[in-house]
Amino acid sequence: MRIAIIAHLKYAIREPFAGGLEMHTHLLATALRRRGHAVTVFASMKSDPAMGLEAICDETSLLETGTAEAQDVTFFREHHAYLRLMSMLRNRRFDVIHNNSLHYLPVSMAETLDTPMVTTLHTPPFCWLESGIRLCKSPSMRFVAVSDTIRGLWSHVTPIDRTIPNGIDLASFPSNLPQVPTAISFGMGGSSPKRAFIWRSTR
């Protein structure tokens, strides 16, 4: 399949990951590519090119678009990047578009595209994204949530088709615990090998 992934633009999609959303996007793109799909990730400039990157947030190219008049330059640059992307996608051929961003434009402009789109909801509702989703009239848009809690929080805004829990690639986070004959429990924090920590208890 030809799959487009619309990424979050605040941070690059590469290790060390700024957070779980960036790691989720990277793992999704690389796993799909390993399965033989043609994946294109629309993300910021310094993201990992190995996942099929097409950079859409080149700050130097936005200096002539009126940022001097904007009170929030970051907001305006993201707005312009997503607006340009959604306009460009009308002329690109994909089988499906996965919106993994937190921005209102991909959902509010989805009806301008012929390509089916799925949006993953990672956070509780907030004003900008909720506004965009309420304006979404695309018959081919589907919404999924990363947990039943998130699904419930969005249920008053739009129907959520299913819950697809977040996960990690265990091969990227190997355990360094010694083998012990007793039962153990363990937990892990952090979103990259450099930021990870592990605790354990035995009984």
Side-chain angles (χ1 to χ4, degrees), residues 26-48:
H26 192 276
L27 290 176
L28 176 65
T30 53
L32 288 171
R33 289 176 70 85
R34 282 199 302 267
R35 293 188 177 194
H37 298 291
V39 179
T40 302
V41 180
F42 297 100
S44 58
M45 287 182 59
K46 295 181 180 179
S47 298
D48 183 2

Side-chain angles (χ1 to χ4, degrees), residues 191-202:
S191 56
S192 73
K194 294 182 179 179
R195 295 173 58 191
F197 60 88
I198 292 178
W199 58 263
R200 69 170 179 172
S201 65
T202 62

Side-chain angles (χ1 to χ4, degrees), residues 30-200:
T30 53
L32 288 171
R33 289 176 70 85
R34 282 199 302 267
R35 293 188 177 194
H37 298 291
V39 179
T40 302
V41 180
F42 297 100
S44 58
M45 287 182 59
K46 295 181 180 179
S47 298
D48 183 2
M51 61 181 179
L53 173 67
E54 283 194 29
I56 63 169
C57 195
D58 182 347
E59 293 186 357
T60 59
S61 70
L62 300 180
L63 296 179
E64 298 179 359
T65 58
T67 55
E69 301 171 7
Q71 294 182 351
D72 188 333
V73 174
T74 300
F75 171 87
F76 185 82
R77 287 175 174 167
E78 288 189 0
H79 172 91
H80 183 79
Y82 283 121
L83 182 62
R84 182 175 55 188
L85 171 64
M86 294 304 292
S87 298
M88 178 267 291
L89 284 174
R90 298 174 190 170
N91 301 312
R92 295 286 295 270
R93 295 186 61 189
F94 291 103
D95 297 306
V96 66
I97 298 171
H98 185 163
N99 174 31
N100 216 32
S101 74
L102 302 176
H103 205 269
Y104 59 91
L105 279 178
V107 286
S108 62
M109 294 183 65
E111 64 181 312
T112 67
L113 306 179
D114 295 327
T115 308
M117 183 183 294
V118 58
T119 290
T120 299
L121 298 171
H122 294 265
T123 69
F126 59 94
C127 60
W128 291 106
L129 184 56
E130 181 174 339
S131 175
I133 289 177
R134 288 185 182 276
L135 291 173
C136 178
K137 305 301 181 185
S138 173
S140 59
M141 171 66 82
R142 296 293 181 268
F143 293 96
V144 298
V146 297
S147 70
D148 288 335
T149 298
I150 296 299
R151 183 177 187 173
L153 291 171
W154 280 98
S155 60
H156 72 287
V157 178
T158 189
I160 308 300
D161 290 89
R162 65 180 59 189
T163 298
I164 301 179
N166 266 336
I168 63 171
D169 181 1
L170 293 178
S172 300
F173 297 88
S175 170
N176 59 3
L177 298 175
Q179 293 187 356
V180 292
T182 58
I184 65 170
S185 61
F186 72 95
M188 184 176 69
S191 56
S192 73
K194 294 182 179 179
R195 295 173 58 191
F197 60 88
I198 292 178
W199 58 263
R200 69 170 179 172

